Amino acid sequence: AIKVGYRLFDGAYDYQNEKESGLGIKRAIDEGLVKREDIFVTTKLWNNYHKKENAIAMAKSQNEAWGLGYIDLFLIHFPCALQYISPEERPFPGWTLDDQGTIKLEKTPIRDTWEALEELVDSGIARSIGVSNFQAQLLYDLQSYAKKPVSSLQIELHPYLFQDSLVKLAQSYGVAVTAYSSFGPNSYVELGGSFDQKTQGLSVLFEHPDIVKTAEKHGVTPSQVLLRWATQRNIAVIPKSNNASRLKQNLEATDFDLSEDEIKAISALDRGLRFNDPGFYLADFPLRIFA
């Protein structure tokens, strides 16, 4: 990815890839392909480590895993504190405390976690801090006590989940918005299971007539249209791909401009359809953070 031209890398403790990603970046630095200051690393604090002391300890551990000296942007992954379990006991808990699927909430307010992140900036572990999967009211609340800038809001965003009001609110505060799952259902069809209920009868965005028509008009791919639809609205994108040619295509998604009418037409596909929703896929203990 670095050889193709990528410089921003999005990770998270929950992705279980921090050490490997850090080693790959370090190798590129050692080979003289880039300098550390050329690279921007984003990673995230998982839900079981929201208490201040746990958040700071976990951030230090994550920074060591990346092995790059510091983290450029450290985010709260979800606005949902779950009961602490030590990484030694269960290294990557996901949403559950055990193999039986036990989920327990923890009484830790977001303010405590945010203040822990502010300490990370003071100590040099993180250069900037932000949030992920937060909704409007939490942003309003966060702005009332944050002493350091909320640098970024990372959210699921695609034509089936427009979220225009949330984007405008964040941008009005000077918070940079980053979209994940830019290709909508494409990211979830392969997961099957309960996600089949959400994707059933739904046009894959790469094949949606409006997207295909727009792509043909500009001589680009449907994926490039979807990325440009976001970036022209000043929204950063972090598409995933293991294919070298598609990595290059994604970087070229700013080489053309959509018309205002084309952006409006794509935005009109909105269905309020959210895929990354623990209130949906955690059937036995739904966490309705987007209600």
Side-chain angles (χ1 to χ4, degrees), residues 26 29 36 41 59-60 62-72 123-127:
K26 191 173 186 302
I29 293 172
R36 172 62 183 93
V41 169
K60 289 179 179 177
Q62 289 179 251
N63 188 40
E64 290 172 3
W66 282 95
L68 300 172
Y70 59 89
I71 294 165
D72 294 280
S123 66
I125 291 173
R127 294 286 176 92

Side-chain angles (χ1 to χ4, degrees):
I2 288 175
K3 288 180 179 179
V4 174
Y6 283 82
R7 296 295 181 266
L8 186 152
F9 295 87
D10 181 74
Y13 181 76
D14 189 53
Y15 300 165
Q16 304 181 32
N17 66 352
E18 291 178 307
K19 183 177 180 179
E20 294 76 11
S21 299
L23 287 172
I25 294 170
K26 191 173 186 302
R27 185 166 63 248
I29 293 172
D30 292 342
E31 292 174 0
L33 296 175
V34 290
K35 297 177 181 178
R36 172 62 183 93
E37 56 266 29
D38 298 328
I39 298 296
F40 193 96
V41 169
T42 298
T43 197
K44 308 175 191 75
L45 178 75
W46 189 241
N47 311 320
N48 300 86
Y49 317 110
H50 273 213
K51 274 188 179 178
K52 185 175 288 189
E53 61 270 26
N54 297 332
I56 293 172
M58 178 52 68
K60 289 179 179 177
S61 176
Q62 289 179 251
N63 188 40
E64 290 172 3
W66 282 95
L68 300 172
Y70 59 89
I71 294 165
D72 294 280
L73 175 62
F74 196 72
L75 307 177
I76 299 173
H77 204 150
F78 280 92
C80 179
L82 298 181
Q83 182 175 301
Y84 175 76
I85 184 168
S86 74
E88 290 74 26
E89 182 178 350
R90 192 170 176 83
F92 297 101
W95 294 98
T96 60
L97 290 169
D98 52 39
D99 293 338
Q100 288 68 52
T102 303
I103 299 173
K104 291 184 179 180
L105 296 173
E106 183 175 77
K107 293 182 179 180
T108 301
I110 289 296
R111 181 168 185 166
D112 285 5
T113 311
W114 180 257
E115 289 175 351
L117 265 61
E118 291 182 325
E119 289 187 25
L120 298 179
V121 176
D122 290 334
S123 66
I125 291 173
R127 294 286 176 92
S128 59
I129 51 179
V131 295
S132 177
N133 297 304
F134 275 43
Q135 296 296 95
Q137 185 53 49
L138 282 172
L139 284 183
Y140 280 123
D141 187 54
L142 184 54
Q143 291 293 336
S144 72
Y145 56 77
K147 295 177 182 177
K148 297 192 184 299
V150 183
S151 296
S152 180
L153 168 67
Q154 190 175 122
I155 53 174
E156 179 181 345
L157 189 142
H158 43 76
Y160 288 151
L161 186 62
F162 186 28
Q163 301 220 77
D164 192 47
S165 292
L166 179 58
V167 169
K168 288 178 178 175
L169 172 63
Q171 291 176 339
S172 74
Y173 279 124
V175 177
V177 179
T178 299
Y180 69 79
S181 297
S182 295
F183 304 140
N186 297 60
S187 305
Y188 298 90
V189 169
E190 61 190 38
L191 296 177
S194 60
F195 288 104
D196 287 343
Q197 300 173 38
K198 293 243 180 184
T199 59
Q200 190 172 15
L202 195 67
S203 292
V204 175
L205 284 169
F206 288 161
E207 300 171 3
H208 193 286
D210 291 352
I211 305 296
V212 172
K213 181 180 177 182
T214 303
E216 290 174 347
K217 176 183 173 182
H218 290 275
V220 297
T221 66
S223 62
Q224 289 174 313
V225 168
L226 293 169
L227 295 176
R228 192 62 176 135
W229 170 78
T231 57
Q232 272 188 241
R233 294 162 51 222
N234 295 318
I235 298 167
V237 292
I238 45 173
K240 293 190 297 183
S241 180
N242 294 319
N243 182 287
S245 64
R246 280 197 286 271
L247 284 170
K248 185 173 182 294
Q249 277 184 6
N250 291 341
L251 277 183
E252 294 169 348
T254 56
D255 291 351
F256 68 100
D257 290 328
L258 299 172
S259 69
E260 190 171 333
D261 286 343
E262 287 171 331
I263 291 175
K264 287 180 179 178
I266 295 171
S267 301
L269 300 177
D270 181 36
R271 298 188 180 195
L273 186 56
R274 187 185 305 277
F275 294 97
N276 189 13
D277 182 0
F280 167 72
Y281 54 71
L282 298 177
D284 295 332
F285 196 104
L287 296 172
R288 307 184 196 280
I289 61 175
F290 298 115

